[in-house]
Amino acid sequence: MNQEVYHIPALLVPVIQGLDIKPDGCYVDATFGGGGHSRAIVSELSEQGHLYGFDQDSDARANAIDDPRFTFVYGNFRFMRNFLRYYGVDAVDGILADLGVSFHHFDDPERGFSFRSDGPLDMRMNRNASRSAAWVVNNYTEEQLADMFYLYGELKNARKFASVLVKARGKAPIETTEQLLAAVAPLINPKKEKKELAQVFQALRIVVNNEIDALRDFLVQSLESLKPGGRLAVITYHSLEDRLVKNFMRTGNLEGKDARDFYGRNLSPFKLLTSKPVVADDDEVERNPRSRSAKLRIAEKL
């Protein structure tokens, strides 16, 4: 499989610079995908260095790097700590997570991630998972659907979206992306069509893959898995993820609560290396339009 087609790695240069890779170090690419970031990391390693690449999508296995310095781990990054222990690794020098969806997923109609082509309403990153997007659309209560669109799609008229889906599925099950688009079409503002449809699909994808809970688990385990001086680099693509990552890196906890000692000194286990997120420059956006919304944050464990 062509890795460049599968996924063009976003913010590759600042990621590699930010990780400050030690040739003999041990690293994790928690979202392997097409392996673009992983290949760049491995190229910086000596024979003693090692990279563990995680991915829960069986398609990503075809991109695994044939190199003794690399191990492909078929699993969700929310179980990173257990997998590392399985491989006898107590702590690592750096961890990367690119939370974006690969070209491969958007461009394959059979995966159901995009509103640009018709296909099964699936959206499962792990194809062995039991609940697809179609299951959610046809089985969630109207209140659950409204909460989903409001919390994860940030749609102001979330209740109306939930209502039209419940009415539509009452006539016939909604099983394809085209059927979903037809159901919500009356609510879509023509001037904001792409944005609003992206919000609908984003909300469904987050719920199907339990993405926010998985990210929370991953962040906590990243802190536990890093050596002192180890670095955490995370690329986010929407405000829900970015807010969670920013607060965790600033405070070391998921709630984003500042911990200070008697003298008012910050007790965060991290030192922020990016006061503001790193974003793609104009050249990168031209080469890879999907990098437009990418935000990279980096922190070092104290």
Side-chain angles (χ1 to χ4, degrees):
M1 186 176 294
N2 187 326
Q3 284 78 28
E4 286 300 311
V5 173
Y6 193 104
H7 187 63
I8 300 173
L11 302 170
L12 182 59
V13 172
V15 162
I16 299 304
Q17 291 175 342
L19 286 173
D20 190 26
I21 297 166
K22 301 173 183 177
D24 296 347
C26 184
Y27 293 86
V28 169
D29 181 348
T31 49
F32 178 73
H37 288 113
S38 283
R39 282 177 172 76
I41 294 171
V42 169
S43 72
E44 300 284 327
L45 298 176
S46 70
E47 291 182 5
Q48 285 70 46
H50 204 84
L51 172 68
Y52 293 88
F54 285 72
D55 208 297
Q56 63 176 324
D57 187 348
S58 57
D59 287 358
R61 281 174 157 174
N63 302 325
I65 304 168
D66 184 13
D67 191 299
R69 297 169 294 176
F70 176 79
T71 299
F72 181 81
V73 183
Y74 179 45
N76 192 314
F77 68 2
R78 72 186 306 175
F79 306 117
M80 176 179 66
R81 189 115 175 94
N82 284 342
F83 277 112
L84 288 175
R85 284 172 174 162
Y86 172 78
Y87 286 103
V89 178
D90 292 323
V92 299
D93 296 287
I95 299 171
L96 164 68
D98 178 348
L99 304 179
V101 179
S102 295
F103 285 154
H104 171 71
H105 294 116
F106 278 128
D107 296 342
D108 182 357
E110 291 302 309
R111 302 301 296 269
F113 283 95
S114 174
F115 53 82
R116 291 182 172 85
S117 53
D118 190 23
L121 193 57
D122 193 330
M123 299 195 200
R124 292 171 298 168
M125 290 290 188
N126 178 354
R127 293 190 179 193
N128 294 320
S130 57
R131 296 185 177 185
S132 66
W135 189 95
V136 171
V137 166
N138 289 295
N139 289 278
Y140 263 31
T141 65
E142 186 169 335
E143 185 177 0
Q144 286 176 312
L145 288 171
D147 287 346
M148 175 186 73
F149 287 129
Y150 182 75
L151 292 172
Y152 302 132
E154 299 181 292
L155 287 160
K156 294 178 181 178
N157 52 344
R159 292 192 180 281
K160 289 184 179 179
F161 276 93
S163 178
V164 298
L165 286 185
V166 169
K167 289 178 182 176
R169 77 189 189 191
K171 299 175 183 176
I174 299 171
E175 296 177 338
T176 68
T177 53
E178 284 291 340
Q179 289 172 330
L180 175 63
L181 292 175
V184 301
L187 299 178
I188 298 295
N189 182 342
K191 295 180 180 179
K192 300 179 180 178
E193 182 181 21
K194 286 185 179 179
K195 180 182 177 182
E196 291 185 355
L197 288 177
Q199 288 172 290
V200 169
F201 276 64
Q202 173 184 295
L204 269 169
R205 194 196 75 230
I206 287 174
V207 165
V208 168
N209 297 290
N210 205 7
E211 291 180 18
I212 299 301
D213 285 344
L215 177 57
R216 287 171 173 268
D217 289 348
F218 163 75
L219 290 172
V220 171
Q221 289 175 46
S222 293
L223 177 55
E224 296 170 349
S225 300
L226 281 170
K227 298 176 183 176
R231 294 189 174 186
L232 173 63
V234 182
I235 303 173
T236 64
Y237 292 82
H238 57 76
S239 59
L240 296 173
E241 294 172 339
D242 186 56
R243 195 178 308 126
L244 186 55
V245 171
K246 178 178 68 174
N247 287 337
F248 186 79
M249 287 185 172
R250 183 174 56 83
T251 64
N253 61 71
L254 295 171
E255 294 75 28
K257 293 181 180 177
D258 286 319
R260 299 187 179 273
D261 66 11
F262 179 77
Y263 300 101
R265 290 174 297 202
N266 191 350
L267 295 177
S268 172
F270 284 119
K271 177 174 72 173
L272 280 176
L273 302 181
T274 49
S275 56
K276 293 182 178 179
V278 178
V279 297
D281 60 23
D282 292 342
D283 288 343
E284 178 168 0
V285 171
E286 188 174 342
R287 293 193 311 272
N288 177 14
R290 291 173 183 173
S291 68
R292 188 187 308 276
S293 54
K295 293 182 177 181
L296 168 66
R297 295 185 186 273
I298 306 168
E300 182 175 292
K301 183 176 178 179
L302 298 173

